[in-house]
Amino acid sequence: MLKSAQPTLVNVLDWSEGSFAIPGTVWIQGLGAPAANRNQARAVLEAAQPDKAAPLVFYCLSWECWLSYNAALGALEAGYTNVYWYRGGS
């Protein structure tokens, strides 16, 4: 998928969790958070990827981390239609 579709990769971890990421990743926190933070995170997502049909892949620390799942749901709520959750983490 990275080669053919060129998705926008979104890491939702806080920088304090560690600065590891797949190269080319956008860091966006708060998409799965309460409404006030979620609106700010949506604005950052829309700036990073304005095309709502473009593929987005959300990930975080590991299969035990649900932040990326919540962020993927937040992206769907924001109108994105090609959303993936990479449960494996970074």
Side-chain angles (χ1 to χ4, degrees):
M1 180 182 211
L2 286 174
K3 292 179 182 178
S4 62
Q6 298 179 3
T8 299
L9 303 173
V10 182
N11 188 328
V12 298
L13 287 176
D14 187 318
W15 281 101
S16 65
E17 300 283 346
S19 59
F20 49 86
I22 299 169
T25 293
V26 175
W27 290 76
I28 301 176
Q29 301 158 24
L31 277 173
N37 293 343
R38 189 170 50 233
N39 290 338
Q40 184 179 16
R42 282 183 183 174
V44 174
L45 178 59
E46 289 172 357
Q49 181 50 266
D51 180 0
K52 299 229 174 176
L56 297 172
V57 178
F58 291 89
Y59 72 97
C60 56
L61 185 61
S62 72
W63 63 273
E64 294 176 324
C65 179
W66 290 87
L67 294 172
S68 54
Y69 175 78
N70 291 334
L73 293 177
L76 290 169
E77 289 174 6
Y80 287 89
T81 58
N82 201 359
V83 177
Y84 298 89
W85 170 44
Y86 178 62
R87 187 172 182 184
S90 57

